[in-house]
Amino acid sequence: MPFRTRYTGLIDKYRDRLPVHDDTRIISLGEGNTPLIRLNNIPRVLGKDIDIYVKYEGLNPTGSFKDRGMTMAVTKAVEEGSKAIICASTGNTSASAAAYAARAGITAFVLIPDGKIALGKLAQAMMHGATVIQIKGNFDEGMQLVKEVGAEAPVTIVNSINPYRLQGQKTAAFEIVEELGSVPDFHCIPVGNAGNITAHWMGYSEYHENGIVNTLPRMVGYQASGSAPFMRGKMVDDPDTVATAIRIGHPQSWDKAWKVHEESKGWFDECSDDEILAAQKLLAEKEGVFCEPASATSLAGAMRDIQSGKIPEGSKIVCTLTGHGLKDPDIAIQQSTAVQAVDATLDEVKKAILANME
Ligand SMILES: *Cc1c(COP(=O)(O)O)cnc(C)c1O
């Protein structure tokens, strides 16, 4: 019969590479299997001969890559008998935790920072019935509190310090290899807590160790300038950036990410908020792909390194787009041209159309 097998999520697909048993009850919303989109117009804008793809992780069930890790973390929490999960979050982790907890029938507690949380993410956590606690502090302070609560109360921490998170997230690298038929030369990725860059490297390395691929990519991690501890070489106490998902000054996977940097012979770099927003807009306008600001950091950095030749022509590049553009409607509207208001007459509408057609 010419029908495809129904896709039932990444744990089902990569069962033999993940820490689950045959009788594990899997908590899934059909995450993973996201599009790898080849950019057609941006290479032309750059005037460079490059093969560049975006991995559109915004098309996961709750709109970010966090779902890859959350399906694993919540599956294991339930397996271990946990009745509640907790996380600190700049937004996407809480949205994902709330949804998977709802699916599993357990309780979710989320600690979000004071202000600077994108509206879409907050709406998700609230809608899925999580207990949302807003602290008068930033993400790093929330993370510290969650670790303290986790040590005292019967709740499972589902931040990326939970090792099952990275296990789930490594599957993005598997998908990329399977789709490209090889590893990319460069994998560019936004860095906040640095769990995702670590997880991707785990995935590529696992395929390499198993002889499925015979090369490895260079991992390139980009941070926002106001929030760039890997560039400063030390923790940043008061991080600030428009890319709220990576507004993190004390990365939880600090040592792991430096190891990725060394082993993959990659590098870290930083992008200004202006560069990040310009890349977000360019991608939306030239390719029809809408990602949130933090996600565009990978493309912003890659474009600069392509232009300078640090990423040479002829390279195959993958940029991870970590979250969907609809997560942060305020920033999107702020940087777009205002809507034109006209009278509801054919004349006025015609005039408005002709004025915009050259
Ligand atoms: C969580 C997140 C990141 C950062 O990932 P880390 O694993 O913390 O480095 C980047 N972008 C978006 C949209 C995120 O939600």
Side-chain angles (χ1 to χ4, degrees):
M1 288 231 285
F3 296 121
R4 283 184 55 192
T5 313
R6 192 166 65 95
Y7 181 81
T8 49
L10 60 85
I11 296 181
D12 228 18
K13 175 154 186 213
Y14 295 108
R15 184 174 271 285
D16 54 343
R17 301 203 168 276
L18 293 168
V20 288
H21 306 106
D22 287 346
D23 56 357
T24 302
R25 177 183 158 215
I26 292 169
I27 312 299
S28 170
L29 291 165
E31 56 295 311
N33 201 22
T34 55
L36 185 67
I37 302 167
R38 188 164 191 265
L39 300 187
N40 289 335
N41 300 318
I42 289 179
R44 239 176 285 149
V45 172
L46 295 174
K48 296 280 187 181
D49 173 25
I50 40 151
D51 202 13
I52 182 167
Y53 300 80
V54 289
K55 180 72 168 158
Y56 197 11
E57 291 286 276
L59 292 197
N60 274 295
T62 78
S64 85
F65 77 83
K66 298 299 197 300
D67 296 341
R68 289 185 187 272
M70 206 55 72
T71 184
M72 267 308 305
V74 174
T75 290
K76 293 307 280 189
V78 168
E79 186 174 62
E80 288 158 12
S82 185
K83 297 276 184 283
I85 57 174
I86 188 167
C87 64
S89 177
T90 61
N92 281 330
T93 301
S94 59
S96 186
Y100 283 82
R103 182 81 167 161
I106 61 174
T107 305
F109 299 103
V110 305
L111 262 69
I112 58 169
D114 206 2
K116 298 222 177 182
I117 174 156
L119 219 55
K121 305 176 187 181
L122 184 60
Q124 288 176 291
M126 294 171 80
M127 196 67 187
H128 291 301
T131 301
V132 181
I133 304 163
Q134 186 159 46
I135 59 157
K136 296 192 175 94
N138 61 25
F139 168 85
D140 301 304
E141 291 163 304
M143 190 65 239
Q144 186 52 40
L145 285 165
V146 160
K147 285 181 182 172
E148 289 167 23
V149 173
E152 288 189 13
V155 290
T156 304
I157 300 175
V158 295
N159 281 101
S160 56
I161 56 171
N162 177 326
Y164 299 122
R165 279 276 310 273
L166 301 195
Q167 285 294 317
Q169 286 168 216
K170 75 182 180 186
T171 59
F174 297 165
E175 290 176 13
I176 290 165
V177 167
E178 282 151 25
E179 197 150 342
L180 290 178
S182 65
V183 301
D185 301 308
F186 297 90
H187 189 124
C188 302
I189 190 163
V191 170
N193 273 310
N196 212 22
I197 192 170
T198 304
H200 277 78
W201 183 245
M202 280 168 51
Y204 287 124
S205 300
E206 193 172 318
Y207 268 16
H208 190 247
E209 281 154 23
N210 285 277
I212 297 166
V213 295
N214 47 29
T215 60
L216 284 165
R218 295 176 74 179
M219 300 298 300
V220 187
Y222 296 110
Q223 298 214 282
S225 296
S227 182
F230 286 100
M231 295 308 292
R232 310 292 166 253
K234 61 175 176 24
M235 302 298 166
V236 170
D237 280 335
D238 199 9
D240 194 23
T241 169
V242 69
T244 53
I246 51 172
R247 188 171 161 243
I248 290 161
H250 292 238
Q252 297 298 313
S253 294
W254 176 259
D255 293 338
K256 292 193 184 91
W258 279 115
K259 210 164 148 243
V260 172
H261 173 271
E262 190 187 306
E263 288 179 1
S264 82
K265 301 180 181 65
W267 64 87
F268 291 117
D269 209 340
E270 63 189 281
C271 300
S272 69
D273 280 4
D274 285 348
E275 284 177 299
I276 292 169
L277 294 178
Q280 184 198 18
K281 196 95 208 297
L282 188 74
L283 188 62
E285 287 192 349
K286 297 290 179 204
E287 303 282 1
V289 177
F290 188 20
C291 67
E292 68 170 286
S295 311
T297 310
S298 60
L299 181 67
M303 287 197 305
R304 200 177 54 211
D305 285 335
I306 289 163
Q307 218 116 45
S308 76
K310 192 166 180 181
I311 294 177
E313 288 202 73
S315 298
K316 191 179 280 188
I317 307 152
V318 171
C319 292
T320 295
L321 300 180
T322 44
H324 201 286
L326 289 172
K327 292 274 191 175
D328 199 343
D330 295 320
I331 295 291
I333 290 169
Q334 267 172 39
Q335 59 168 318
S336 302
T337 1
V339 173
Q340 295 180 48
V342 300
D343 289 334
T345 63
L346 181 58
D347 243 24
E348 287 291 302
V349 171
K350 254 164 78 178
K351 234 194 281 170
I353 288 172
L354 291 173
N356 284 287
M357 267 174 57
E358 286 110 292

